[in-house]
Amino acid sequence: MINEALNILFIAYDRNLSVGSYRIWVNDYCYYFNAIGVKAKIFSGNPEEIKNADVIILSKGPKQNLINDFNYIRSNYPDKLIGTITPPRDLTNVEFDFVMAGSMEEADSLSFHKNVIVNAHIEQLFYGYSRKIHTKKDVLKIVYHGWTAHLASFSPNLKTALEEFEKECDIELVIISESENAVWRRNSLPNIKNISYQKWNIKTIRENIMEGDIGIIPGIHDLTHLVQNGSEPTDPSSGLFHTDYVFRFKNKSNNGRSLAFFQLGIPVVGDFTPSHLHILGDGDCGFLAHSKAGWLRSFRILKDESKRNKISQKAYDKVNREYNPLLWAEKYYSQILEIYNKRSL
């Protein structure tokens, strides 16, 4: 427990718990801060709360709101430390005392700010539950959860891997997203018999995910064909080969979807998103895949319920060991405190 802690105030622009950026970075971390002895609350609209705060953290929100609130607080309360959560990359003219990023790739993209804090997507929604115990299944449920825009990343290799895997065993692809009418772009819809759709619901999402047998996490856009068809130059003397990978991914890419699967005991196959490399790179806690053969190899291994149990147990142990929310809250707070003390000198 932390004694004599700074008083932290979160200002949120959307208090909808179905919105991940509010649910995790404001609601959950406000709870975690209080659990370790840091006084934290979410702004209710009372100006006295701003006056009494030492640190004010602006949530993810519209650019103009961030600018206006920063300028108001800085002008009227110049002694306050002002941070923000995953701000727009093009918001370059506001001198926040710190910004919080949700991954190393996002932190790099925001490195023009003077202080960048990296934090983990650890959700109360999934944390602290017993993991699923896997049994032999007649139909393997392969679960995707997340934004529908990432469905485009099924193309081309995950799509074709699922089509081939269906020839070997009965599968159901379950899509859990913000819509029951998901739109598949870039010719990414797998040609398989059994695809079901569920709308993300905070009351049922945990149970919905735990009905699955394998979790998949696509997010990268594959541009490797540009090299293979000759439209991108190759030059072995410069280390550029026709076998190179070429990817495109968001600067805000992160491992949050993996952590949810880990915490619930669903073994994961994730793509080459940079944040996946740390948690999936050893091969003990899940698999990394890019090629059709890579996805297929992973599915074939996880078809065996004993392998699913072994891998999900190691992933569950890893997430509880390395992603304890109170330890990450202490780390977050210690970095804020260091910035605060330096600013006070």
Side-chain angles (χ1 to χ4, degrees):
M1 293 289 289
I2 294 171
N3 296 316
E4 299 182 5
L6 298 174
N7 194 336
I8 295 177
L9 180 68
F10 290 92
I11 295 181
Y13 300 106
D14 186 344
R15 297 185 66 164
N16 182 352
L17 283 170
S18 295
V19 177
S21 58
Y22 171 74
R23 184 176 66 252
I24 303 169
W25 299 135
V26 179
N27 182 77
D28 287 1
Y29 271 90
C30 184
Y31 172 84
Y32 300 149
F33 276 149
N34 281 289
I36 63 171
V38 175
K39 295 178 181 178
K41 66 185 305 182
I42 301 170
F43 183 52
S44 68
N46 183 352
E48 286 295 308
E49 294 173 341
I50 296 177
K51 182 178 178 181
N52 295 332
D54 301 303
V55 181
I56 297 171
I57 303 177
L58 306 178
S59 76
K60 181 178 179 181
K63 188 189 307 183
Q64 196 57 52
N65 290 42
L66 293 169
I67 294 170
N68 292 345
D69 286 348
F70 175 87
N71 289 338
Y72 171 79
I73 297 166
R74 182 62 85 224
S75 297
N76 292 279
Y77 304 95
D79 59 323
K80 309 300 181 187
L81 194 75
I82 308 173
T84 192
I85 297 166
T86 65
R89 190 175 183 177
D90 60 352
L91 186 57
T92 60
N93 59 345
V94 179
E95 295 186 2
F96 294 106
D97 295 307
F98 66 90
V99 301
M100 195 223 71
S103 65
M104 292 305 299
E105 48 266 47
E106 184 177 28
D108 180 81
S109 74
L110 297 174
S111 289
F112 56 88
H113 290 284
K114 57 187 174 182
N115 293 299
V116 182
I117 297 172
V118 180
N119 216 343
H121 291 69
I122 308 172
E123 299 197 49
Q124 285 191 78
L125 194 57
F126 306 120
Y127 184 80
Y129 293 89
S130 299
R131 74 173 184 90
K132 174 175 180 170
I133 303 301
H134 294 265
T135 58
K136 188 174 181 63
K137 300 290 284 293
D138 293 329
V139 178
L140 276 178
K141 283 194 175 186
I142 299 176
V143 176
Y144 166 89
H145 74 97
W147 189 27
T148 52
H150 292 310
L151 297 178
S153 296
F154 276 60
S155 177
N157 298 324
L158 175 53
K159 171 185 181 294
T160 53
L162 288 166
E163 291 168 351
E164 189 161 329
F165 191 51
E166 185 192 43
K167 299 174 183 177
E168 303 175 12
C169 67
D170 291 329
I171 63 173
E172 177 185 358
L173 175 62
V174 181
I175 304 298
I176 306 172
S177 69
E178 79 281 2
S179 173
E180 293 177 331
N181 301 300
V183 176
W184 295 77
R185 304 186 186 279
R186 297 179 66 224
N187 190 33
S188 56
L189 174 62
N191 183 21
I192 60 176
K193 292 179 292 186
N194 200 357
I195 304 178
S196 61
Y197 300 89
Q198 298 175 2
K199 188 170 183 178
W200 193 99
N201 185 318
I202 196 167
K203 295 180 180 178
T204 62
I205 183 60
R206 188 170 59 249
E207 290 77 13
N208 294 156
I209 289 175
M210 291 186 75
E211 289 175 357
D213 303 298
I214 301 171
I216 53 173
I217 311 174
I220 278 177
H221 292 275
D222 181 28
L223 303 178
T224 302
H225 64 280
L226 299 178
V227 170
Q228 295 174 343
N229 68 19
S231 59
E232 278 289 312
T234 59
D235 178 8
S237 66
S238 299
L240 301 174
F241 298 89
H242 76 279
T243 52
D244 290 345
Y245 294 118
V246 184
F247 299 137
R248 179 175 179 173
F249 55 90
K250 293 194 309 174
N251 76 301
K252 292 180 181 291
S253 294
N254 59 73
N255 61 17
R257 287 182 287 159
S258 290
L259 294 182
F261 282 130
F262 274 32
Q263 288 166 330
L264 298 178
I266 309 300
V268 170
V269 188
D271 68 12
F272 286 4
T273 294
S275 286
H276 290 166
L277 302 181
H278 164 64
I279 56 174
L280 295 170
D282 60 7
D284 291 335
C285 298
F287 298 99
L288 292 165
H290 170 67
S291 66
K292 181 182 80 169
W295 287 101
L296 264 174
R297 170 183 171 271
S298 304
F299 293 155
R300 286 166 176 160
I301 292 171
L302 293 173
K303 182 179 176 181
D304 182 335
E305 68 274 12
S306 65
K307 292 294 178 79
R308 296 201 300 276
N309 276 314
K310 181 179 179 181
I311 288 171
S312 65
Q313 180 68 66
K314 288 185 176 180
Y316 183 79
D317 292 342
K318 184 182 184 74
V319 80
N320 282 284
R321 183 174 63 250
E322 298 183 11
Y323 288 88
N324 181 309
L326 302 187
L327 296 179
W328 276 87
E330 288 180 2
K331 180 179 177 182
Y332 188 5
Y333 176 74
S334 67
Q335 292 176 83
I336 292 173
L337 180 60
E338 182 179 357
I339 296 165
Y340 184 88
N341 288 337
K342 285 182 178 178
R343 187 171 176 268
S344 300
L345 294 176

